[in-house]
Amino acid sequence: MENVYDLAVIGGGPCGISSVVEAKISGLQKVLLLEKGDNHSQTIRTFYKDNKRVDKEYKGMDSETKGKVHFETGTKEDVLNYFDGLLDNEGVDAVFKTEVEKVVKGDDGIFTVITPNAQYKAKNVIIAIGRMGKPNKPEYKIPPSITQRVNFNLDKCGVNEKILVVGGGNSAIEYAITLSTSNIVTLSYRRMNFTRLNEINERDIYKAAKYGDVILRLNTNIESLENENGKVLAHYKDGRDFVYDRVVYAIGGTTPVDFLKNCGVGIDENGVPKIDEHCQSQIPGLYIGGDLITKSGGSIVVALNHSNAIINHIISTK
């Protein structure tokens, strides 16, 4: 059992970081963090401007941390330095630039975490990868020469870009608002009014439009895309044309359903993983935390509290 981790955590966001730190503080000796990016906290690093404030309170959600990892409002740099310190002080094994393909529980009760270059054994696993889903694509063809400028999630988005977000669901709104912190963002939706938004996102997008943070184009349809000097020229059906640095489609798919299913995780009719009050899936020892199980997503405190609930349950069942 010397090569078996007590816990493997997939994803280096707030839930993932908090999970490995809480685990070490609680007495788990061998803890592993796996992250597909080149460092932890990729969303904060990529989409927050320097000195941008990272809020403790988020959309009216619980803002009281319940575990051993606390969090207070601070700048982007404050938050990253804080998480750096947590990882360094607790001596967590961390592997970056590696994407997990599958998690399998063996007959011996030990999980195998499979990546392209290695396999890791663990007694418990936490999936904390955020929302990345398998996307729906538009009916029209995307020219191959601009595929690198067309996204279906936020993974490759940069900063200081002119970005078009296409869609009218909660994911589209959250993409647009997140990107607007460091980019010029237009949101295009084919209907005159939003019909599928939760109250918080509906309020936030109209506020963003009112203050000029997001350019809102309702009742608009994209007819086609083409390359214009390396950028994306979007042809609207009403005859208008606009050039963007990047287009992000959010027209369906918000959770990594295929990955979760490959791991044997139960999924409900809305594509949400089935968990119990401890954030545990129907597979004992396989837990899910963070945005995947949070209706509105985005709350660092809620993610930290998920990790606390999970680690407490793991310790109680040792």
Side-chain angles (χ1 to χ4, degrees), residues 10-312:
I10 304 166
C15 182
I17 294 171
S18 180
S19 294
V20 295
V21 172
E22 289 245 6
K24 293 290 285 189
I25 294 174
S26 299
L28 297 183
Q29 297 299 309
K30 299 190 66 176
V31 178
L32 173 67
L33 176 67
L34 297 166
E35 162 60 40
K36 73 173 185 177
D38 58 6
N39 210 329
H40 66 80
S41 308
Q42 290 295 308
T43 297
I44 295 174
R45 292 180 190 279
T46 304
F47 301 112
Y48 280 73
K49 296 179 181 178
D50 292 346
N51 298 311
K52 171 75 175 178
R53 191 177 73 180
V54 183
D55 290 317
K56 179 179 182 180
E57 295 188 7
Y58 183 81
K59 296 186 177 181
M61 302 173 75
D62 187 2
S63 61
E64 178 184 354
T65 53
K66 298 178 172 59
K68 301 174 178 64
V69 176
H70 301 284
F71 179 77
E72 297 295 336
T73 295
T75 66
K76 169 185 175 179
E77 291 76 12
D78 292 335
V79 173
L80 294 177
N81 287 336
Y82 174 61
F83 286 150
D84 282 340
L86 289 175
L87 289 174
D88 291 344
N89 292 338
E90 297 305 327
V92 173
D93 288 344
V95 180
F96 296 99
K97 293 185 177 180
T98 187
E99 187 166 3
V100 175
E101 297 175 342
K102 193 175 184 180
V103 178
V104 180
K105 189 172 186 179
D107 293 337
D108 58 358
I110 301 299
F111 291 95
T112 300
V113 182
I114 302 169
T115 75
N117 300 316
Q119 295 187 4
Y120 303 91
K121 300 287 187 178
K123 299 175 185 176
N124 299 279
V125 174
I126 300 174
I127 298 173
I129 56 177
R131 302 181 182 188
M132 296 178 295
K134 184 178 180 180
N136 293 329
K137 297 185 178 181
E139 296 179 356
Y140 46 87
K141 183 179 179 181
I142 298 173
S145 61
I146 57 172
T147 54
Q148 295 302 310
R149 291 186 172 270
V150 175
N151 293 43
F152 295 91
N153 53 43
L154 300 184
D155 285 356
K156 297 180 181 179
C157 295
V159 297
N160 300 320
E161 292 185 322
K162 186 178 179 182
I163 298 177
L164 171 65
V165 177
V166 181
N170 286 299
S171 293
I173 303 309
E174 291 165 10
Y175 283 0
I177 292 174
T178 298
L179 290 168
S180 70
T181 62
S182 53
N183 299 276
I184 300 171
V185 176
T186 298
L187 177 69
S188 173
Y189 183 45
R190 60 189 175 85
R191 298 182 184 274
M192 182 64 72
N193 298 295
F194 297 109
T195 59
R196 297 179 287 131
L197 300 185
N198 62 49
E199 293 180 359
I200 294 172
N201 282 335
E202 185 168 10
R203 179 198 66 199
D204 287 352
I205 190 59
Y206 283 122
K207 181 179 179 181
K210 179 179 178 180
Y211 285 92
D213 297 324
V214 174
I215 301 167
L216 196 56
R217 298 195 188 282
L218 297 176
N219 197 30
T220 57
N221 280 281
I222 309 298
E223 189 172 54
S224 63
L225 303 181
E226 68 176 273
N227 186 331
E228 180 162 303
N229 299 320
K231 296 189 176 184
V232 182
L233 174 60
H235 296 289
Y236 286 74
K237 287 188 177 180
D238 62 8
R240 292 182 295 174
D241 297 332
F242 295 93
V243 176
Y244 302 94
D245 295 306
R246 187 173 305 279
V247 177
V248 180
Y249 289 97
I251 52 178
T254 58
T255 60
V257 172
D258 291 337
F259 173 71
L260 293 171
K261 286 183 176 179
N262 283 341
C263 297
V265 174
I267 306 294
D268 68 17
E269 63 277 7
N270 297 314
V272 178
K274 297 178 181 179
I275 57 169
D276 63 16
E277 66 272 21
H278 309 293
C279 302
Q280 183 173 222
S281 72
Q282 84 282 6
I283 304 171
L286 180 59
Y287 301 83
I288 303 168
D291 286 356
L292 287 182
I293 59 170
T294 304
K295 189 172 184 180
S296 295
S299 170
I300 291 177
V301 170
V302 170
L304 302 186
N305 289 341
H306 287 161
S307 70
N308 175 248
I310 293 169
I311 299 304
N312 285 344

